[in-house]
Amino acid sequence: MSKISKIGVLTSGGDAPGMNPCIRAVVRTAIFNGLEVVGIKQGYKGMIENDMYEMGTRSVSNILNLGGTILKTARCLPFRTDEGMETAYQNIKAKGIDGLVVIGGDGTFTGALRFSQKYPDIAVIGVPGTIDNDLYGSTYTLGFDTATNTVIEAIDKIRDTADSHDRLFFVEVMGRDSGAIALRAGISCGAEAILLPEKSTALADLIDHLKNGATNKKSSSIVIVAEGDKTGGIYDLAKAVQNEITHYDIKVTVLGHLQRGGAPSSFDRVLGSRLGFAAVNALIAGQSQKMVGLEANHIKLTPLDEALSHHDFKLESDLLQMVEVLSI
C-alpha cells in the first residue's frame, strides 16, 4: 500500500460520548505528521452525497467536552449497495483521500470492511464507538463509561423518591444485545435485581427475591432492566410483579436516549484521544482493515473481520455473581 497522504474521518451509527475527543485526536495527530484531513459529515451518507470539508487544527478546538459528534452521524442504507459504494469511492478519490478512520459500532465496521475489500487502495482503521461496550478486541468502547455514569446519576435520584414513598421502581436502560450498562450501573446503585439479555431470569424467581426484600423491611427496591431482556417489555413485567406484590407501589421509568448525551467523562475523553491517536499511527504504519482497541491498558490492533465474527462477548462472571450476593 502506498504512503498515506490524506485521511478522511467519519462517525457512523449511534452517537457516543467520546467521539469528539477521538475526532480531535485524529485531526491533530494527522496534521502533526504532515497529513491532510477531511471531515466527512453524517457517516457514509456524507461519502455518497459528497458532504465533506477540509479540517485544520482549529476545526477541533473546544470540542473535548462536547457530547455527540461534530461530524454528525447517520445510518445509510444506500452504502450497502454496490452502486452506493462506487459513488462513495469516486467522491473520496476525487478528494484525494487514501485512508479512512471510521468511528462507530459493528454496523459501521461491517460497511468499512466491505468497502476496503472492494477498494483495497483505501486503507481503513476502525475505532470502537458505542455505549453498549460489546465489541470484541477492546475492553472498553467509547461512550460506555459516560453512559453508565449517566444511568447511575439518574438511578440515584430515583432511589431518593423510591425510598421516600416505599416504592419499587423498574428502570429500563439501553442494551438490546448487551447488558453491560445495566450490570455495572446496577452494582453501582445497589439494585435489588438486574435483568440482562445474556442471562435468563424467571419471573417467579424475581418475585420471590423482591418478596424477600419486603420481608427484610427494605424501604425501596430498584430493578434494572436492559431493553433486550428476554422476560418481555418492562411495562408487562411491572404489571406481572404488581399482581403478586402489594407491599410496594410500583413505578416504571424508561431512561431512553438521555443515556447517549452529555459531556464525556474523563475516561472517555482520554480513551477517545488514545484511540484516535493510535488510529492515525496505524494508517501511517501501513495498517488497514483493523480496529484499534484498549486491552489491559494497552493499545491493540484487531482485524475487523475478527472483531465482527466474535459474538460471544461475555460479561464479567464475578460481577454477575455479585448481583445476588450484594442485594440481600
Side-chain angles (χ1 to χ4, degrees):
M1 185 172 291
S2 59
K3 185 178 178 181
I4 298 294
S5 61
K6 183 180 282 192
I7 292 175
V9 57
L10 62 86
T11 51
S12 176
D15 61 297
M19 284 183 165
N20 282 327
C22 187
I23 294 167
R24 175 179 179 270
V26 168
V27 171
R28 292 191 172 177
T29 303
I31 292 172
F32 180 86
N33 285 281
L35 308 179
E36 296 180 76
V37 189
V38 173
I40 302 170
K41 302 292 288 292
Q42 294 188 302
Y44 298 126
K45 181 180 178 182
M47 288 170 59
I48 291 175
E49 297 182 356
N50 205 21
D51 190 3
M52 315 179 208
Y53 66 103
E54 303 289 331
M55 299 186 78
T57 55
R58 300 283 74 82
S59 301
V60 290
S61 295
N62 302 318
I63 68 169
L64 273 170
N65 62 316
L66 300 180
T69 162
I70 63 166
L71 292 176
K72 309 298 183 182
T73 182
R75 290 178 171 85
C76 182
L77 293 178
F79 191 72
R80 299 180 183 180
T81 67
D82 290 338
E83 295 78 9
M85 281 200 174
E86 177 63 23
T87 299
Y89 174 72
Q90 294 300 333
N91 285 336
I92 66 169
K93 287 295 286 185
K95 286 282 187 183
I97 295 170
D98 45 20
L100 288 174
V101 175
V102 297
I103 309 167
D106 55 358
T108 300
F109 290 172
T110 299
L113 179 60
R114 182 166 172 253
F115 183 79
S116 186
Q117 289 171 337
K118 190 175 179 65
Y119 305 105
D121 55 321
I122 306 295
V124 173
I125 296 292
V127 176
T130 167
I131 66 170
D132 289 335
N133 203 45
D134 59 352
L135 282 170
Y136 177 82
S138 190
T139 306
Y140 299 105
T141 60
L142 281 181
F144 170 64
D145 184 71
T146 306
T148 303
N149 286 331
T150 298
V151 170
I152 291 169
E153 182 180 358
I155 293 176
D156 283 347
K157 293 177 179 178
I158 290 171
R159 175 75 78 177
D160 290 342
T161 189
D163 195 49
S164 297
H165 291 274
D166 237 18
R167 283 175 174 162
L168 163 59
F169 269 83
F170 283 82
V171 182
E172 183 182 273
V173 303
M174 283 184 166
R176 184 179 65 251
D177 301 310
S178 168
I181 291 176
L183 181 59
R184 285 184 176 261
I187 291 174
S188 299
C189 297
E192 279 63 39
I194 307 171
L195 277 59
L196 309 166
E198 295 90 344
K199 183 175 181 291
S200 296
T201 301
L203 179 60
D205 292 339
L206 174 63
I207 291 171
D208 286 343
H209 183 67
L210 294 172
K211 282 182 176 179
N212 288 336
T215 301
N216 292 331
K217 298 183 178 180
K218 284 198 171 187
S219 60
S220 65
S221 287
I222 301 288
V223 176
I224 298 181
V225 183
E227 61 182 333
D229 171 67
K230 296 177 176 60
T231 56
I234 191 170
Y235 289 99
D236 290 340
L237 179 62
K239 184 177 180 181
V241 172
Q242 181 74 86
N243 291 335
E244 299 293 331
I245 299 178
T246 58
H247 174 77
Y248 288 126
D249 178 18
I250 295 181
K251 300 293 183 182
V252 172
T253 298
V254 178
L255 295 182
H257 281 77
L258 71 85
Q259 296 161 83
R260 289 196 184 277
S265 65
S266 170
F267 182 88
D268 277 328
R269 295 183 197 197
V270 174
L271 180 62
S273 299
R274 289 184 76 176
L275 295 181
F277 176 79
V280 174
N281 285 327
L283 286 173
I284 292 171
Q287 299 287 346
S288 184
Q289 299 180 17
K290 302 283 181 67
M291 181 192 84
V292 292
L294 187 71
E295 288 198 349
N297 204 29
H298 294 285
I299 296 296
K300 175 187 175 182
L301 287 176
T302 301
L304 284 176
D305 57 353
E306 185 177 333
L308 289 167
S309 64
H310 285 72
H311 297 292
D312 57 347
F313 193 85
K314 297 290 195 304
L315 297 175
E316 298 92 331
S317 58
D318 61 324
L319 296 187
L320 291 169
Q321 292 170 9
M322 286 166 58
V323 173
E324 184 175 356
V325 173
L326 301 185
S327 65
I328 59 175

